[in-house]
């Protein structure tokens, strides 16, 4: 079976190669591929949100999240493996988390499938009891998370209303409808942006 490459033709990361070898039926049940014959069946992030959370998914139409695979976990949230145009320094791809409990929310949640599987196996411990973004601040994974935030979310680790906040646009002014004050809205660039961790840690 052609398990050697991802849907985009890139080589399989080590974590996924091992998982496919050991648990192909589990991944097939999650909707990653069909087994006979083998065919990848990725979805967009918006399609996964619509199917799993009963939402239209429009807020999650993100150009960088077109090749996605569902992972287990969550009630009002879902974990999703995203194949990007460039893996991190270890050859791994990120896991994002979507949540619709209050407002549409998206964050880069884990540095890779290797981290997700290690946590499930109990071989590493992740931060508990804080926010979804706490994992991104873990020094063990921070460089990898920076890479993924740059590639996926224009230098962000998390955002509400992701389509609105991640779609490229020029800087513009707007009026506060309550006070009448002029607001300056920052430009959202088309390319990659490094994460400003000082600003992120203060959020």
């Amino acid at each position: 079976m052609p398990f050697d490459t991802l849907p985009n033709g890139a080589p399989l990361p080590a974590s996924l190669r091992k998982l496919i070898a050991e648990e192909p039926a589990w991944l097939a049940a999650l909707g990653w591929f069909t087994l006979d014959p083998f065919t990848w069946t990725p979805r967009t992030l918006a399609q996964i949100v619509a199917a799993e959370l009963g939402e239209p998914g429009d807020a999650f139409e993100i150009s960088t999240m077109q090749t996605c695979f569902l992972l287990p976990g969550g009630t009002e949230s879902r974990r999703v493996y995203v194949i990007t145009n460039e893996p991190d320094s270890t050859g791994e791809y990120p896991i994002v988390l979507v949540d619709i409990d209050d407002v549409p929310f998206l964050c880069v949640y884990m540095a890779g499938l290797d981290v997700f599987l290690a946590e499930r196996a109990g071989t590493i411990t992740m931060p508990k009891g804080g926010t979804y973004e706490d994992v991104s601040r873990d020094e063990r994974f921070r460089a990898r998370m920076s890479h993924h935030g740059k590639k996926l979310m224009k230098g962000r680790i998390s955002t509400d209303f992701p389509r609105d906040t991640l779609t490229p646009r020029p800087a513009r002014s707007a009026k506060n409808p309550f006070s009448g004050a002029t607001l300056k809205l920052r430009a959202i660039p088309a390319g990659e942006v490094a994460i400003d961790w000082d600003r992120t840690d203060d959020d």
Side-chain angles (χ1 to χ4, degrees):
M1 290 184 285
F3 285 151
D4 293 336
T5 60
L6 292 164
N8 63 357
L12 292 178
S15 60
L16 182 54
R17 183 179 296 279
K18 185 173 189 296
L19 187 58
I20 287 175
E22 295 178 357
E23 298 286 350
W26 182 66
L27 290 177
L30 285 170
W32 288 42
F33 44 69
T34 59
L35 285 169
D36 189 18
F38 175 82
T39 306
W40 288 107
T41 53
R43 292 179 284 175
T44 68
L45 184 65
Q47 288 171 332
I48 289 176
V49 169
E52 293 294 317
L53 297 174
E55 292 286 311
D58 295 351
F60 296 94
E61 282 286 3
I62 312 299
S63 63
T64 53
M65 302 190 198
Q66 299 296 301
T67 306
C68 302
F69 299 96
L70 180 68
L71 285 163
T75 51
E76 294 293 332
S77 63
R78 291 293 185 274
R79 284 89 178 136
V80 178
Y81 186 54
V82 183
I83 305 303
T84 64
N85 63 356
E86 187 178 330
D88 64 26
S89 60
T90 69
E92 295 284 345
Y93 296 89
I95 292 169
V96 301
L97 181 141
V98 296
D99 193 307
I100 59 165
D101 190 26
D102 295 313
V103 299
F105 172 82
L106 172 68
C107 75
V108 184
Y109 182 61
M110 284 190 177
L113 189 61
D114 57 331
V115 181
F116 179 84
L117 295 173
E119 184 190 32
R120 283 179 66 89
T123 58
I124 63 171
T125 302
M126 304 302 285
K128 300 290 184 186
T131 68
Y132 292 137
E133 297 99 317
D134 286 349
V135 177
S136 70
R137 298 186 177 103
D138 190 310
E139 288 298 328
R140 294 171 294 176
F141 312 115
R142 189 157 162 168
R144 293 173 62 187
M145 296 293 276
S146 285
H147 171 88
H148 296 313
K150 180 179 177 182
K151 296 294 178 183
L152 279 179
M153 292 178 55
K154 302 187 188 303
R156 295 172 184 256
I157 283 297
S158 65
T159 186
D160 294 334
F161 301 102
R163 185 182 66 176
D164 294 342
T165 56
L166 299 178
T167 299
R169 67 166 186 253
R172 57 192 173 94
S173 297
K175 285 210 175 285
N176 183 316
F178 302 103
S179 68
T182 299
L183 305 174
K184 297 289 185 183
L185 303 180
R186 290 186 307 158
I188 306 296
E192 299 169 359
V193 181
I195 293 174
D196 181 350
W197 284 102
D198 290 335
R199 181 177 59 81
T200 303
D201 285 344
D202 289 339
D203 288 349

